[in-house]
Amino acid sequence: MKQDLILTIFGSTGDLTARKLLPAITKLYKQKKIPNRTMIYALGRRDYTTEVYLNQMNEQAFKPLDLKLLSRLVTYVNMDITKVSDYDLIKNQIDSVKQESTRQLFYLAIGPDLFPIVSKNISDSDLVEIGNLNQSIIFEKPFGYDLASAKSINEMLWNYFDEKQIYRIDHYLGKEMIQNIMMVRFANRIFEDVWHNRTIKNVKIIAKEDEGILGRAGYYDQSGALRDMVQSHLMQIMSLIAMDVPLSYFSEDVKDEKVKVLHHLSFDADSLILGQYQGYLDEKGIHEDSKTETFVFFKASVNTPRFKGVPFYLMTGKKLDKKESLIIVEFEETSEQRKWNLPLSTNKLYIKIAPVDGVGLVLNSKVPGLTDDVETVELEYCIACNSYKNLSEAYEKLLLDCTQNHKTLFTRWDEIESSWHFIDQIKKHQKTLVQYASMDDLDPLIREKTGESMQ
Ligand code: BG6
């Protein structure tokens, strides 16, 4: 039977496919967001049947997979993706089920070291023809290992594919509240007028995780928190928070403004703290004297007229007290507030990304009743607690956008280039790793360096 959508996954035996891609596809399919005639080819070197493959995926997944549905959609193809001679296996299968209008996605859920060879093989075997916009190629992060490797990967990709066919994933861009940042900033007059260095005191961008490396030693030990989280997710958040008003809300204009932020970054080397959680060296597959950081904190500056002088505190780490990703925008005190001798707080806007999406606004208020006391209150909008119980996961949104050829939520090359440039600067300042058991070991150091608490 001819198909309307064909998704081919390279590196399909990895945890990303089990934990994110297959659940996302299942949900999109059940909600009829992707065509009824959808086919998935899962490519891997292991000698599996489709049934064995899906059972393996089920074991790696966080929640049980719908194996009944997936066994109708998925075909496992045993091949060596580094050998062009093996590509006939997949090309023949795709050719037998595709028609001219079939949307074809090629998802590279593999490390960046394999991007060049797999891209070349895809091109040499004519799986993807340059310029055919029905065929797109999707690259999972990280895109490279540093600026030099990212550049060489990118130059090579442009030999084989048109930029319009290339999708570079940063799954944070598919998250509900990250998509909402521009709406909060630009569609609310109360924020539009105060979004600058005259009223904003500082910005905190936090991505804490309670889990460790979840069996991803091979990847993580080469990468570390700076490359794994900061170069992609935290840089994207920072550019959305600090960008100027774009010319329009079309993808390219928004990206032009985000890139300007990334071109104007600097960081305070004295503030840099790198940490490694206690027990990291005992994780399976980690080198016994690994110096890889699982925690990073630093103060950065966005040297644009809008944000010059406002500290941005960035922090991410594994094995911390809880899973929590959020942005805190703290405003200056009011001029009146300074005159009163009352325990007033500053206003804060919370943009909450995980574990629940939402927005919070911290205000000062009089304690109700026959008193003059003040209290700090939070107005809270919790998306999942309200009407939207079944929020979509980032990968659902991103996969759906790929099927519809929408590129807004994917990173453009110059965004990646400038964020690697920034990370490379930070990487030059290697620090002694702080061994930590919890935030209690780290927060005093942060306070000592900046006067701020990140707890
Ligand atoms: C991934 C990183 O990009 O993001 C992981 O490789 C990290 O190390 C994950 O755990 C965090 O994503 P989320 O969606 O759980 O916040």
Side-chain angles (χ1 to χ4, degrees):
M1 194 185 19
K2 297 292 180 195
Q3 304 293 323
D4 294 317
L5 171 65
I6 302 174
L7 168 64
T8 305
I9 307 174
F10 294 74
S12 71
T13 50
D15 55 83
L16 181 83
T17 309
R19 294 169 186 170
K20 301 289 183 189
L21 302 183
L22 293 180
I25 291 160
T26 305
K27 227 163 139 196
L28 289 172
Y29 193 82
K30 284 185 176 164
Q31 292 174 356
K32 301 195 184 334
K33 299 279 188 208
I34 53 175
N36 191 29
R37 291 187 302 179
T38 288
M39 177 103 209
I40 296 151
Y41 290 110
L43 315 185
R45 214 189 317 208
R46 293 182 205 162
D47 189 12
Y48 290 151
T49 60
T50 298
E51 192 187 347
V52 171
Y53 166 71
L54 285 175
N55 286 332
Q56 287 288 335
M57 291 288 97
N58 201 30
E59 276 176 29
Q60 281 185 62
F62 289 136
K63 289 188 192 152
L65 298 174
D66 184 341
L67 293 179
K68 198 163 160 219
L69 172 68
L70 287 172
S71 61
R72 274 177 30 218
L73 302 181
V74 177
T75 301
Y76 180 78
V77 180
N78 174 9
M79 60 177 267
D80 180 348
I81 59 173
T82 62
K83 275 201 202 142
V84 71
S85 52
D86 274 16
Y87 277 60
D88 280 349
L89 288 170
I90 180 64
K91 179 141 175 36
N92 291 339
Q93 300 226 26
I94 292 180
D95 284 350
S96 68
V97 292
K98 79 171 191 202
Q99 50 196 349
E100 216 182 309
S101 59
T102 305
R103 178 87 180 110
Q104 294 166 65
L105 303 176
F106 298 86
Y107 198 119
L108 273 57
I110 51 182
D113 47 327
L114 287 174
F115 287 173
I117 180 70
V118 172
S119 300
K120 182 174 189 317
N121 289 346
I122 287 177
S123 170
D124 287 354
S125 62
D126 287 334
L127 266 184
V128 172
E129 293 161 46
I130 190 162
N132 180 344
L133 296 189
N134 255 345
Q135 300 175 323
S136 296
I137 176 154
I138 306 164
F139 294 89
E140 205 18 83
K141 69 152 268 275
F143 195 88
Y145 180 77
D146 54 13
L147 179 58
S149 62
K151 260 189 180 158
S152 89
I153 291 171
N154 200 63
E155 273 160 22
M156 182 272 315
L157 292 191
W158 281 346
N159 289 328
Y160 303 131
F161 314 113
D162 188 299
E163 174 63 20
K164 292 199 180 88
Q165 296 173 285
I166 301 173
Y167 286 68
R168 301 176 193 86
I169 290 244
D170 181 323
H171 81 275
Y172 264 52
L173 294 180
K175 287 182 185 276
E176 192 59 42
M177 274 314 300
I178 305 280
Q179 292 179 60
N180 209 348
I181 292 176
M182 284 206 291
M183 188 63 80
V184 169
R185 281 191 55 187
F186 299 126
N188 292 294
R189 185 60 197 248
I190 54 167
F191 296 127
E192 188 190 28
D193 287 353
V194 295
W195 210 262
H196 49 66
N197 51 10
R198 295 185 300 290
T199 32
I200 292 182
K201 194 172 177 186
N202 67 62
V203 178
K204 294 181 176 132
I205 300 174
I206 299 170
K208 294 198 267 186
E209 297 186 81
D210 50 356
E211 298 283 6
I213 52 169
L214 295 174
R216 296 163 72 218
Y219 156 71
Y220 195 87
D221 210 33
Q222 296 293 314
S223 168
L226 263 169
R227 295 189 174 104
D228 183 45
M229 291 291 288
V230 182
Q231 182 272 331
S232 46
H233 311 325
L234 271 57
M235 289 291 104
Q236 282 295 323
I237 294 177
M238 182 135 115
S239 59
L240 285 165
I241 291 288
M243 69 189 249
D244 270 322
V245 184
L247 272 181
S248 80
Y249 292 93
F250 289 121
S251 173
E252 299 304 307
D253 287 336
V254 171
K255 285 170 185 161
D256 286 348
E257 286 308 323
K258 286 168 67 191
V259 167
K260 283 186 202 156
V261 172
L262 297 168
H263 281 165
H264 287 88
L265 296 181
S266 60
F267 92 108
D268 171 3
D270 286 342
S271 69
L272 180 65
I273 300 174
L274 300 176
Q276 189 183 73
Y277 65 80
Q278 287 173 10
Y280 178 75
L281 298 181
D282 303 327
E283 298 270 13
K284 194 166 164 229
I286 296 296
H287 202 268
E288 60 188 14
D289 54 8
S290 168
K291 298 278 181 285
T292 300
E293 80 285 353
T294 61
F295 171 90
V296 57
F297 166 87
F298 62 90
K299 179 171 121 182
S301 304
V302 178
N303 302 309
T304 58
R306 182 184 285 270
F307 269 107
K308 198 167 176 47
V310 175
F312 279 69
Y313 301 107
L314 277 72
M315 184 181 93
T316 184
K318 294 198 181 283
K319 284 265 175 167
L320 296 173
D321 47 326
K322 56 182 163 189
K323 167 86 187 166
E324 185 175 54
S325 302
L326 86 161
I327 305 155
I328 307 173
V329 180
E330 180 173 354
F331 294 91
E332 295 283 1
E333 295 169 320
T334 65
S335 40
E336 288 307 298
Q337 194 174 332
R338 289 189 197 117
K339 295 182 205 155
W340 307 338
N341 191 17
L342 288 173
L344 292 167
S345 167
T346 46
N347 294 139
K348 293 185 191 75
L349 170 70
Y350 291 111
I351 298 178
K352 301 178 186 183
I353 302 155
V356 282
D357 304 77
V359 180
L361 187 59
V362 172
L363 303 174
N364 291 306
S365 177
K366 178 184 163 302
V367 175
L370 304 174
T371 148
D372 293 330
D373 292 345
V374 289
E375 63 179 348
T376 302
V377 292
E378 185 180 337
L379 307 183
E380 200 177 358
Y381 167 48
C382 158
I383 297 181
C385 314
N386 287 319
S387 35
Y388 306 100
K389 299 253 184 279
N390 195 12
L391 272 187
S392 55
E393 289 259 351
Y395 276 96
E396 285 166 49
K397 173 68 181 155
L398 296 178
L399 277 172
L400 182 63
D401 280 9
C402 289
T403 67
Q404 299 172 342
N405 238 332
H406 292 164
K407 290 197 71 182
T408 308
L409 299 180
F410 295 83
T411 40
R412 206 169 63 184
W413 162 244
D414 49 357
E415 295 178 79
I416 294 187
E417 182 182 34
S418 32
S419 55
W420 271 127
H421 176 74
F422 184 58
I423 297 300
D424 282 0
Q425 303 302 311
I426 302 178
K427 273 288 197 197
K428 285 187 195 146
H429 296 263
Q430 280 302 344
K431 293 260 165 146
T432 319
L433 279 180
V434 179
Q435 299 295 317
Y436 65 92
S438 71
M439 264 315 281
D440 292 343
D441 297 326
L442 299 159
D443 207 50
L445 298 175
I446 295 172
R447 269 186 276 129
E448 195 180 300
K449 284 178 185 285
T450 63
E452 293 290 327
S453 168
M454 299 293 279
Q455 282 210 317

